[in-house]
Amino acid sequence: MNINIRKFYYGDIPEENNVTSLSQNSKTEKEWPLWEVFIRSKQGLDHKHAGSVHAADAQMAIENARDVYTRRQEGISIWVVESKHIHASNPEDADMFYEPASDKVYRHPTFYDLPDEIKHM
Amino acid sequence: MSLIDLEKSFQEKIDKEIKIEPKDWMPDAYRKTNIRQISQHAHSEIVGMLPEGNWISRAPSLKRKAILIAKVQDEAGHGLYLYSAAETLGISRDQMMNDLNSGKAKYSSIFNYPTLTWADMGAVGWLVDGAAILNQVMLCRTSYGPYARAMVRICKEESFHQRQGFETLLVLSKGTKEQREMCQDAINRWWWPSLMMFGPKDSESTNSDQSIKWKIKRKTNDELRQQFVNMIAEQIKLLGMTLPDPDLKWNEKRNQYDFGEINWEEFWNVVKGNGPCNKQRLAARNKAHDEGAWVRAAAIAYADKKKNKTTHKAA
Ligand SMILES: [Fe+2]
Ligand SMILES: [Fe+2]
């Protein structure tokens, strides 16, 4: 037997021809849509992105999110939103997009030099 | 920016420990390696439920049954965190499922070994989850953001898995003669396959360490394996049991445990699909998937029907 040993790591076994296909499979079943999950971990805190789940509708998405992301009381409130409704800023434009804030140091309290004697400010 | 510039600034980000996020530019090979690794990891969590699921109906007490169900449910959750991390790279869930069920995708070979006695539940938790944890702790710092975040979540949950496994063995190790024998037998059978979980030796590498350069991985197979041996060789003393390796001994000079040679022929055989349970595992996955088809279709039909109703009303 001719075994061609290639480097691979635990959890990363290379495929025979070293190609991962991104093509859609021919077996077409309609996929449940993807939902993004946001969880409030306790009263008084913001909802925070936790991950995503697949579900046929919103109710199922909330129930799946409960089972997947709150098995240890990690949440008291769940929001779900279909992933296709999320719009995001473009990372390639980040420099230009956030640039206007970078030269406005006077927006920070530390910009102001005040005498040490001043209290409660 | 040219491709070379893009690759350069990508590597600079990695070197500065800046995480890569889904919409960021990344080399194709980085994307593919991550898809392959994350989806294989997810498949391992999913297939990993099967050997343990085998004992849920036969756990020796209600307490053990509840614990085992909770652990298996966690593994399902781990699979789902990882599938959604892989999806951020542009592969669909259905594609991954199909690749697993068709046998195209790989998963950790350890789950192609059978769980013969109750003591195997202890040995799996202690050794198999124990080995997985070392890898997963390292991956909490992997360079791809969604993968790293999934790992942090997983690591929080894994420690109970290993502890319940060790405790199961601890109880057996203090039991009757038969229970102690069962405990030792399970350790004997799971020890070598657990060492194989870390993959081939570093010296067998022919490729450059691209995964290390990209900080997908931060430790080599041999480093992780040695860490595992050092840990287990000490812990087993508390069980009063032995590891099935006559060459295992403390090496003063290296400040590490020396250990014997792994049977690599067995390793490659199982990877290639000839392990004791490869066919059984895939068959179980396919059966579950096929028998669930009508449920998935019905849920979609129901959701569509409800949607139509509400649009009707609005009109
Ligand atoms: Fe897991
Ligand atoms: Fe686990």
Side-chain angles (χ1 to χ4, degrees):
Chain A
M1 192 166 47
N2 192 1
I3 301 176
N4 181 14
I5 296 173
R6 266 167 297 149
K7 178 85 171 182
F8 75 80
Y9 292 98
Y10 166 57
D12 183 20
I13 305 163
E15 286 166 48
E16 293 311 319
N17 50 7
N18 223 347
V19 172
T20 303
S21 81
L22 276 173
S23 66
Q24 284 303 308
N25 202 286
S26 48
K27 244 211 271 177
T28 43
E29 194 180 285
K30 198 174 159 199
E31 195 172 68
W32 286 353
L34 188 67
W35 302 74
E36 298 303 317
V37 178
F38 300 83
I39 292 174
R40 185 201 295 284
S41 57
K42 66 183 228 229
Q43 206 70 20
L45 294 182
D46 292 323
H47 285 76
K48 200 176 148 214
H49 186 240
S52 51
V53 293
H54 281 273
D57 59 27
Q59 187 56 38
M60 191 196 280
I62 289 175
E63 283 164 14
N64 288 355
R66 182 219 33 210
D67 293 342
V68 176
Y69 293 105
T70 65
R71 287 193 301 284
R72 288 174 178 76
Q73 298 175 294
E74 290 96 335
I76 53 148
S77 162
I78 297 175
W79 288 349
V80 293
V81 56
E82 246 191 279
S83 308
K84 67 177 184 202
H85 296 309
I86 302 243
H87 300 270
S89 61
N90 186 349
E92 270 140 53
D93 300 339
D95 285 351
M96 205 172 58
F97 194 66
Y98 301 107
E99 196 275 328
S102 67
D103 61 351
K104 297 180 178 59
V105 279
Y106 45 82
R107 281 178 174 163
H108 298 277
T110 46
F111 179 74
Y112 302 91
D113 243 338
L114 298 183
D116 289 346
E117 299 87 70
I118 197 159
K119 298 279 182 256
H120 307 299
M121 194 181 278
Chain B
M1 250 198 274
S2 74
L3 191 63
I4 295 172
D5 289 339
L6 283 168
E7 272 173 7
K8 203 173 140 237
S9 76
F10 175 82
Q11 188 62 49
E12 276 167 13
K13 262 162 98 179
I14 302 262
D15 294 342
K16 280 194 264 175
E17 300 289 335
I18 297 171
K19 295 272 185 252
I20 307 303
E21 295 295 343
K23 292 186 79 183
D24 294 348
W25 186 90
M26 62 187 86
D28 266 0
Y30 178 85
R31 182 183 301 276
K32 279 182 184 162
T33 304
N34 265 298
I35 288 178
R36 189 181 62 220
Q37 188 179 316
I38 300 170
S39 62
Q40 279 180 13
H41 197 157
H43 298 328
S44 302
E45 303 283 352
I46 297 300
V47 178
M49 290 191 281
L50 296 169
E52 290 182 297
N54 179 37
W55 280 92
I56 288 176
S57 60
R58 289 177 284 155
S61 68
L62 189 57
K63 175 183 126 184
R64 292 292 173 190
K65 191 190 185 93
I67 292 171
L68 193 55
I69 290 173
K71 180 182 188 289
V72 171
Q73 197 188 359
D74 272 356
E75 306 301 5
H78 297 174
L80 296 176
Y81 306 156
L82 288 162
Y83 283 130
S84 63
E87 282 176 274
T88 64
L89 289 161
I91 187 167
S92 77
R93 180 81 56 108
D94 277 3
Q95 177 74 51
M96 288 187 274
M97 280 289 124
N98 287 338
D99 287 350
L100 172 63
N101 293 343
S102 72
K104 178 173 175 262
K106 298 270 195 280
Y107 55 85
S108 180
S109 289
I110 191 79
F111 303 117
N112 290 321
Y113 289 86
T115 44
L116 303 178
T117 70
W118 170 250
D120 286 27
M121 292 304 94
V124 166
W126 177 42
L127 298 174
V128 176
D129 286 74
I133 288 169
L134 291 182
N135 183 55
Q136 293 175 155
V137 165
M138 167 192 75
L139 287 170
C140 287
R141 293 169 58 233
T142 192
S143 58
Y144 187 56
Y147 193 19
R149 291 191 286 275
M151 277 302 131
V152 169
R153 204 178 283 279
I154 287 174
C155 283
K156 276 189 202 149
E157 300 179 350
E158 282 293 351
S159 128
F160 129 64
H161 297 180
Q162 196 186 16
R163 290 172 70 104
Q164 66 83 34
F166 190 83
E167 195 218 18
T168 297
L169 294 183
L170 193 62
V171 170
L172 290 173
S173 76
K174 290 177 182 155
T176 62
K177 182 169 167 285
E178 285 82 3
Q179 286 172 325
R180 289 199 305 277
E181 280 169 8
M182 192 163 88
C183 179
Q184 182 63 60
D185 169 64
I187 294 168
N188 291 349
R189 282 181 291 107
W190 287 94
W191 173 245
W192 290 106
S194 303
L195 287 189
M196 293 177 201
M197 282 174 74
F198 296 97
K201 289 200 282 194
D202 298 343
S203 56
E204 286 177 352
S205 143
T206 53
N207 285 7
S208 65
D209 281 356
Q210 190 61 59
S211 283
I212 298 255
K213 194 167 161 240
W214 278 336
K215 295 189 181 163
I216 297 173
K217 293 275 181 172
R218 288 168 181 269
K219 286 180 182 173
T220 69
N221 294 353
D222 285 342
E223 284 169 341
L224 286 169
R225 184 162 26 233
Q226 181 71 59
Q227 209 183 331
F228 180 70
V229 171
N230 293 346
M231 178 175 91
I232 299 298
E234 287 299 316
Q235 290 173 353
I236 196 160
K237 293 176 184 168
L238 295 165
L239 293 175
M241 300 279 147
T242 56
L243 292 172
D245 179 358
D247 296 328
L248 182 85
K249 61 171 187 298
W250 179 252
N251 183 326
E252 218 38 88
K253 255 198 263 147
R254 290 201 316 131
N255 213 20
Q256 314 254 37
Y257 274 93
D258 288 338
F259 55 99
E261 189 61 36
I262 289 166
N263 180 349
W264 293 110
E265 206 180 301
E266 175 183 332
F267 171 82
W268 287 110
N269 249 322
V270 185
V271 169
K272 285 176 177 298
N274 305 318
C277 300
N278 293 53
K279 295 197 177 66
Q280 197 183 324
R281 299 293 183 237
L282 265 197
R285 278 306 314 152
N286 276 290
K287 181 167 180 277
H289 190 77
D290 294 346
E291 289 179 355
W294 73 270
V295 181
R296 294 190 296 275
I300 285 275
Y302 179 67
D304 285 349
K305 196 173 130 191
K306 266 198 317 192
K307 233 183 271 164
N308 289 340
K309 243 187 206 156
T310 46
T311 47
H312 241 201
K313 253 186 230 156

